[in-house]
Amino acid sequence: MTQIRLSPSRVSEFNNCPRLYKYRVIELLPEPPSIDAERGTLIHTILEDLFDLPAPERTLDSATTMAPSRWADQVNQKPELSTLVLNEKEWLDRVGALLKNYFILEKPESFDATHREMHLEQDLTNEIYLHGYVDRIDVAPTGEVRIVDYKSGKSPKPGWEEKALFQLRVYALLYWRLHGVIPSLLVLHYLSDARSVRSSPNEKELLSTERKLLQIADEIIEAIAKDHFPPKPSKLCDWCFFKTICPAYN
Ligand code: SF4
């Protein structure tokens, strides 16, 4: 059989709704751009480019100044975005507010990023290829590794942090497998409400993450073999582009 490609987002997608996974991953149905996803892309580009500047210049002012040109580049690459954002000033003001919150959470002038948008990949088994793009990895002179991810939305409600950390534990598992070092800290920065979720992973947690991945991969392989992707209605349906063709609503 052909190898399946897994990433944390694909795994969450299948977990949240197998039908949505089918539409996106198996049938590759097109979707219109989402304003939240495009805002997230812009924020990620700015924060990636910020670390190209000399440390003293990594200020909120520099980041805010970058926003119009990075947005223009994004629109050039996807012209349909010009109809998605009608009030550019309002859009850039919102981006500026998220950047302001980023500077509450971190002081980028005080450290260097070792890797940005780093692609980690590995064959988990002969049937499963696992990969992901990590926003930032910082390696301290003492060798400690910190994995950082930026989210443009709000932090999870109390009790939901573990679910939110799954993505970073997958990255930590990949980093450990590839470099032989367990990252000492995982950090999710939520820019909408200026809160961070942190966790120090250990071997037991990462092995448990690996078992979970293998279990979900088995479920995906079985779903593909049987062409069985049941819809799983939830509050996510309100934002799902495929609601009009989903059997749960038709
Ligand atoms: S509408 Fe809901 S149940 Fe249907 S595919 Fe979308 S998320 Fe799944």
Side-chain angles (χ1 to χ4, degrees), residues 17 19-20 23 231-234 236-237 240 242-243 246-249:
C17 176
R19 194 74 181 190
L20 180 59
Y23 291 145
K232 193 167 158 186
S234 70
L236 292 177
C237 299
C240 180
F242 303 110
K243 201 169 176 181
C246 173
Y249 293 92

Side-chain angles (χ1 to χ4, degrees), residues 46-166:
I46 294 167
L47 293 181
E48 186 185 354
D49 291 353
L50 190 70
F51 283 91
D52 282 335
L53 298 175
E57 292 175 28
R58 293 177 205 145
T59 59
L60 172 60
D61 200 33
S62 301
T64 314
T65 305
M66 282 180 190
S69 65
R70 301 313 188 270
W71 175 239
D73 292 346
Q74 209 168 313
V75 175
N76 274 341
Q77 283 165 21
K78 263 196 209 177
E80 67 270 31
L81 295 184
S82 55
T83 54
L84 190 73
V85 173
L86 298 175
N87 186 334
E88 194 167 287
K89 183 185 177 307
E90 216 172 76
W91 168 258
L92 291 173
D93 284 350
R94 174 71 185 134
V95 168
L98 295 175
L99 291 170
K100 194 172 172 193
N101 281 349
Y102 166 72
F103 279 83
I104 294 172
L105 299 171
E106 281 199 323
K107 300 198 182 320
E109 71 277 17
S110 64
F111 64 92
D112 286 320
T114 314
H115 306 284
R116 285 164 284 159
E117 288 298 318
M118 190 186 191
H119 188 217
L120 298 176
E121 58 179 345
Q122 202 193 34
D123 288 334
L124 210 54
T125 67
N126 286 339
E127 286 90 35
I128 306 161
Y129 162 84
L130 176 66
H131 80 124
Y133 287 89
V134 186
D135 288 346
R136 211 181 75 219
I137 297 182
D138 306 325
V139 183
T142 46
E144 281 140 333
V145 176
R146 172 170 68 182
I147 293 185
V148 179
D149 198 72
Y150 314 119
K151 303 286 184 201
S152 49
K154 277 189 186 162
S155 58
K157 291 197 175 103
W160 290 87
E161 294 89 347
E162 284 300 299
K163 195 170 182 220
L165 281 163
F166 176 76

